[in-house]
């Protein structure tokens, strides 16, 4: 080692290559944090992740650089030799060893900021006293409709209360929104293409109960909710008469509704099936359509096919949006009528009109917007 002045030396550094990689990786933070601070997702376009997941992209990138930066910091501040670095890696220190063994080392701070970004424009996450939770009536109505269709309030013999909502695998987005507001967990249903959301945490559960109490309309669900109210000394509130301007239908449609098209004649239909007709009759009065018994004879179905009724329901969903994958088909309805007006569904094979119709049908089947 040769000295060139106070604090200036040239050394044959054993960790030269590692040191160079560690120091060069520090630039990652400046680039990513600059884009994040500007609230712009375009600085992450180079990531292998979709742009809509730019926070996840940052987490993965920073996690990948974490160990380089850790070793670089140790080298600069402590001037460790190679043997001492090796000793550090062999230490039985979970804060060090877990960082090397885990595939992704996302920090709590980054995770919370990621959740905050995902929740922009959505109901706020419950965090403490329910008085601090801003009540959004449209949201509460939608959630009540979803629970009426696919939910279940459960109270065990030991007094443990919970809520479960089971939906199709493609409707994960709707369940994730509920989870982001109240907490809980989402798991795959064994042997089925379905997901189950479960909420047991008392604070989040009581927040949800307060939000939907007075909006639940299913008699079965009201019986279940009544047991919950008895346990927590709450007054069960019965729903008022359903009116047109109510987000309940959007949630109910997300749960038990369907939207289909006859590929031969282009006939559109929107329907909701139930074992009983009690919740379907008000829909006919408010939104049109008819009710009939399924061929199986085991359920009833509310069914609309008239152009006027379908256009009316589209206007409703503009104000009270669906949150399941069915929303993509709702968005495609105007395009369907546009192609039908051009007789694209009757066009000869190989023509541009026929290709346009076939392309539209493929998007419809894949629930693509």
């Amino acid at each position: 080692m040769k000295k060139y002045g106070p604090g200036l030396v040239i050394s044959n550094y054993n960790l030269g290559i590692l040191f160079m990689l560690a120091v060069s990786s520090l630039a990652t933070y400046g680039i990513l944090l600059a884009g994040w601070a500007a609230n712009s997702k375009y600085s992450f376009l180079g990531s292998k992740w979709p742009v809509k997941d730019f926070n996840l992209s940052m987490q993965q990138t920073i996690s990948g650089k974490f160990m380089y930066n850790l070793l670089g910091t140790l080298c600069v501040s402590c001037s460790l030799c190679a043997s001492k670095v090796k000793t550090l890696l062999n230490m039985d220190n979970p804060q060090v060893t877990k960082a090397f063994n885990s595939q992704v080392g996302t920090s709590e701070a980054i995770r919370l900021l990621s959740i905050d970004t995902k929740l922009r424009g959505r109901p706020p996450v419950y965090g403490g006293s329910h008085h601090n939770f801003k009540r959004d009536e449209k949201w509460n109505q939608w959630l009540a409709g979803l629970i009426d269709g696919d939910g279940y309030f459960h109270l065990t013999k030991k007094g443990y209360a919970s809520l479960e909502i089971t939906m199709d695998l493609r409707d994960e987005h709707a369940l994730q929104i509920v989870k982001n507001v109240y907490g809980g967990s989402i798991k795959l249903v064994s042997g089925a293409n379905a997901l189950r959301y479960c909420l047991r945490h008392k604070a989040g559960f009581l927040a949800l109960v307060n939000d939907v109490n007075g909006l639940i309309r299913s008699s079965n669900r009201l019986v279940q909710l009544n047991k919950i109210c008895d346990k927590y000394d709450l007054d069960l509130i019965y729903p008022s008469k359903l009116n047109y301007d109510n987000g309940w239908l959007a949630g109910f449609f997300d749960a038990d509704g369907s939207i289909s098209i006859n590929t031969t004649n282009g006939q559109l239909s929107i329907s909701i099936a139930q074992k009983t007709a009690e919740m379907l009759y008000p829909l006919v009065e408010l939104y049109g359509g008819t009710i009939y018994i399924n061929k199986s004879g085991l359920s009833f179905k509310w069914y609309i096919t008239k152009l006027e009724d379908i256009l009316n329901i589209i206007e409703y969903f503009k104000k009270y949006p669906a949150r399941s994958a069915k929303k993509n088909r709702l968005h495609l309805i105007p395009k369907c009528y546009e192609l039908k007006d051009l007789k694209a569904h009757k066009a000869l094979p190989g023509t541009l009109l026929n290709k346009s119709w076939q392309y539209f049908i493929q998007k419809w089947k894949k629930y693509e917007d």
Side-chain angles (χ1 to χ4, degrees):
M1 187 186 312
K2 186 176 181 179
K3 294 186 178 180
Y4 281 84
L8 299 176
V9 297
I10 294 180
S11 174
N12 183 14
Y13 204 39
N14 292 329
L15 298 180
I17 297 177
L18 180 60
F19 176 77
M20 180 183 67
L21 292 173
V23 173
S24 63
S25 68
L26 291 173
T28 304
Y29 287 110
I31 296 172
L32 293 177
L33 293 178
W36 197 0
N39 196 24
S40 171
K41 60 188 176 184
Y42 296 104
S43 58
F44 302 97
L45 284 172
S47 168
K48 67 179 180 179
W49 295 91
V51 174
K52 64 181 180 180
D53 290 331
F54 68 96
N55 278 294
L56 182 58
S57 169
M58 180 185 295
Q59 295 171 17
Q60 300 290 339
T61 306
I62 292 177
S63 299
K65 301 292 185 181
F66 171 73
M67 292 318 304
Y68 283 140
N69 292 343
L70 174 62
L71 292 178
T73 302
L74 292 174
C75 292
V76 173
S77 61
C78 302
S79 298
L80 294 175
C81 64
S83 61
K84 291 185 178 180
V85 173
K86 184 177 180 181
T87 301
L88 174 63
L89 299 183
N90 290 331
M91 288 171 58
D92 186 18
N93 184 343
Q95 291 182 333
V96 175
T97 55
K98 286 185 179 179
F100 280 90
N101 294 332
S102 62
Q103 294 181 344
V104 178
T106 307
S107 70
E108 291 299 323
I110 292 176
R111 186 181 296 115
L112 289 174
L113 286 168
S114 175
I115 292 175
D116 177 70
T117 302
K118 293 176 182 178
L119 285 177
R120 289 174 185 171
R122 299 180 187 167
V125 177
Y126 177 78
S129 172
H130 186 69
H131 297 292
N132 296 327
F133 186 90
K134 185 178 179 181
R135 187 179 178 91
D136 183 339
E137 200 64 21
K138 289 183 180 180
W139 161 264
N140 296 341
Q141 292 165 352
W142 173 84
L143 181 59
L146 184 70
I147 293 173
D148 272 334
D150 282 343
Y152 176 74
F153 289 106
H154 184 57
L155 185 64
T156 67
K157 294 180 179 179
K158 294 184 179 181
Y160 298 112
S162 65
L163 167 73
E164 293 184 358
I165 303 175
T166 305
M167 299 186 75
D168 191 275
L169 192 61
R170 61 173 173 261
D171 296 326
E172 179 183 0
H173 175 69
L175 295 179
Q176 286 289 355
I177 296 175
V178 180
K179 178 185 174 183
N180 286 341
V181 176
Y182 303 101
S185 62
I186 300 175
K187 296 182 179 179
L188 283 167
V189 177
S190 178
N193 291 325
L195 296 169
R196 179 174 291 117
Y197 166 76
C198 186
L199 176 61
R200 294 190 178 93
H201 184 261
K202 184 177 179 180
F205 180 77
L206 288 178
L208 182 145
V209 168
N210 277 283
D211 285 343
V212 300
N213 193 10
L215 303 173
I216 295 293
R217 300 179 180 277
S218 165
S219 57
N220 290 334
R221 221 65 67 228
L222 279 171
V223 170
Q224 298 165 7
L225 182 58
N226 185 55
K227 294 179 181 179
I228 302 296
C229 289
D230 286 343
K231 171 179 171 57
Y232 292 108
D233 196 23
L234 300 172
D235 293 328
L236 177 67
I237 304 174
Y238 289 89
S240 58
K241 184 179 179 181
L242 185 66
N243 55 52
Y244 181 91
D245 289 313
N246 191 305
W248 181 86
L249 174 62
F252 196 49
F253 173 78
D254 276 336
D256 290 336
S258 63
I259 176 170
S260 58
I261 185 172
N262 186 317
T263 57
T264 303
N265 58 25
Q267 178 67 58
L268 276 168
S269 64
I270 296 177
S271 61
I272 297 178
Q274 285 286 288
K275 291 183 179 180
T276 61
E278 62 169 324
M279 292 189 295
L280 301 180
Y281 288 122
L283 303 184
V284 177
E285 179 183 348
L286 296 171
Y287 308 102
T290 57
I291 297 175
Y292 70 90
I293 301 176
N294 273 340
K295 293 180 180 179
S296 63
L298 301 176
S299 63
F300 296 81
K301 181 176 282 190
W302 171 65
Y303 190 80
I304 61 174
T305 56
K306 292 182 180 179
L307 175 61
E308 180 182 356
D309 291 338
I310 290 180
L311 293 180
N312 178 47
I313 207 72
I314 289 177
E315 291 302 313
Y316 166 86
F317 280 115
K318 288 180 180 179
K319 187 174 181 180
Y320 302 97
R323 292 175 168 89
S324 68
K326 300 162 193 172
K327 68 180 184 297
N328 295 333
R329 285 190 170 182
L330 290 171
H331 296 161
L332 287 172
I333 288 178
K335 185 64 176 180
C336 178
Y337 284 125
E338 178 184 337
L339 290 173
K340 282 185 64 179
D341 289 342
L342 295 172
K343 307 297 183 184
H345 60 294
K346 296 181 179 179
L348 295 175
T351 61
L352 291 178
L353 277 178
N354 178 261
K355 290 180 179 179
S356 297
W357 179 254
Q358 295 303 323
Y359 177 71
F360 166 79
I361 293 300
Q362 289 302 315
K363 293 185 69 175
W364 183 273
K365 289 180 179 179
K366 295 179 180 180
Y367 286 81
E368 295 178 351
D369 192 354

